[in-house]
Amino acid sequence: MFAGIQSLDISSEKTRLLLTHIVSNVILGLYPHHKATQQEQLKIKTFYLTILKSFPTRISVHATLIALLYIKRLTDSMQIKLHPDSVLSVIVVAFILADINVNDSEIPTHIWSQVSGLSKVEIVLMKREFLNSIGYQLHVSAEQYAYWIKCIASYMKPLNTLAKPSNLPSSFNNNNTSYNNMIS
């Protein structure tokens, strides 16, 4: 199911459904002290599908996986855990940054504002906070990307219902020392 995930066709309905499942489970799995409800999963899945429909040629499988990695970096760097109510805002910023990284250009903030329902000012401030929190570590090496795909695959295999955070690595950032420690 996850072998070759990065080569999936984002225009396929099956791929979009698989990715919505991955996105909701991985994101909710990053909130270890919060028991996710099916309603929260549905909210995230619906929001992700809205993003895909709004930017059908921009939000690729790569951008999705990188956005999830950025969210993981953010939750690892936070001394205070994010509140589950802030999840959609975090998703927006992660996708903005992943889109910039993958496509080397930016969708205008006012478009993201229309899609997300957040104000332009909120988006700009949240981008700044997000970047500051992850130490501006947007680069993802080929090794880190491959490892991240393996992490997601191993995390998703046992899931039949709601996310369990125990399978994701506790720290995943751009620091090569941390990365080398995780794989050794």
Side-chain angles (χ1 to χ4, degrees):
M1 178 167 146
F2 291 93
I5 191 171
Q6 65 274 20
S7 63
L8 292 173
D9 176 15
I10 196 73
S11 64
S12 153
E13 184 67 23
K14 186 176 179 181
T15 298
R16 287 194 301 270
L17 292 175
L18 173 63
L19 287 173
T20 58
H21 184 69
I22 291 170
V23 166
S24 69
N25 279 288
V26 169
I27 289 172
L28 290 172
L30 296 174
Y31 294 87
H33 303 296
H34 176 72
K35 183 167 171 49
T37 65
Q38 287 183 346
Q39 182 180 5
E40 288 171 316
Q41 279 195 328
L42 182 60
K43 188 176 180 180
I44 290 171
K45 287 178 180 182
T46 303
F47 190 66
Y48 175 68
L49 285 173
T50 300
I51 290 173
L52 284 181
K53 288 177 184 172
S54 299
F55 310 112
T57 61
R58 297 280 301 211
I59 304 300
S60 63
V61 173
H62 296 291
T64 298
L65 296 173
I66 289 173
L68 290 174
L69 176 57
Y70 290 165
I71 293 169
K72 177 67 174 141
R73 286 179 179 175
L74 177 71
T75 59
D76 284 350
S77 72
M78 301 291 289
Q79 292 183 4
I80 307 168
K81 290 300 174 196
L82 296 171
H83 192 276
D85 291 341
S86 65
V87 133
L88 297 183
S89 300
V90 169
I91 291 170
V92 168
V93 174
F95 274 94
I96 290 170
L97 297 174
D99 175 61
I100 293 168
N101 188 350
V102 170
N103 295 310
D104 202 25
S105 65
E106 185 172 3
I107 295 170
T109 302
H110 74 275
I111 305 279
W112 280 106
S113 177
Q114 292 169 355
V115 170
S116 68
L118 299 168
S119 75
K120 291 186 284 186
V121 172
E122 285 175 300
I123 291 172
V124 169
L125 291 174
M126 288 186 308
K127 270 175 43 178
R128 187 176 304 140
E129 284 181 41
F130 195 110
L131 285 166
N132 211 16
S133 294
I134 65 170
Y136 290 82
Q137 295 179 0
L138 295 177
H139 177 73
V140 179
S141 70
E143 294 84 14
Q144 288 171 323
Y145 186 70
Y147 181 72
W148 181 238
I149 290 169
K150 286 179 186 176
C151 290
I152 289 174
S154 67
Y155 174 71
M156 292 299 296
K157 282 180 185 175
L159 293 180
N160 293 324
T161 56
L162 297 178
K164 293 174 184 69
S166 59
N167 292 346
L168 286 174
S170 62
S171 177
F172 197 101
N173 59 40
N174 206 28
N175 181 323
N176 286 334
T177 307
S178 296
Y179 174 72
N180 289 333
N181 289 340
M182 285 189 305
I183 60 173
S184 34

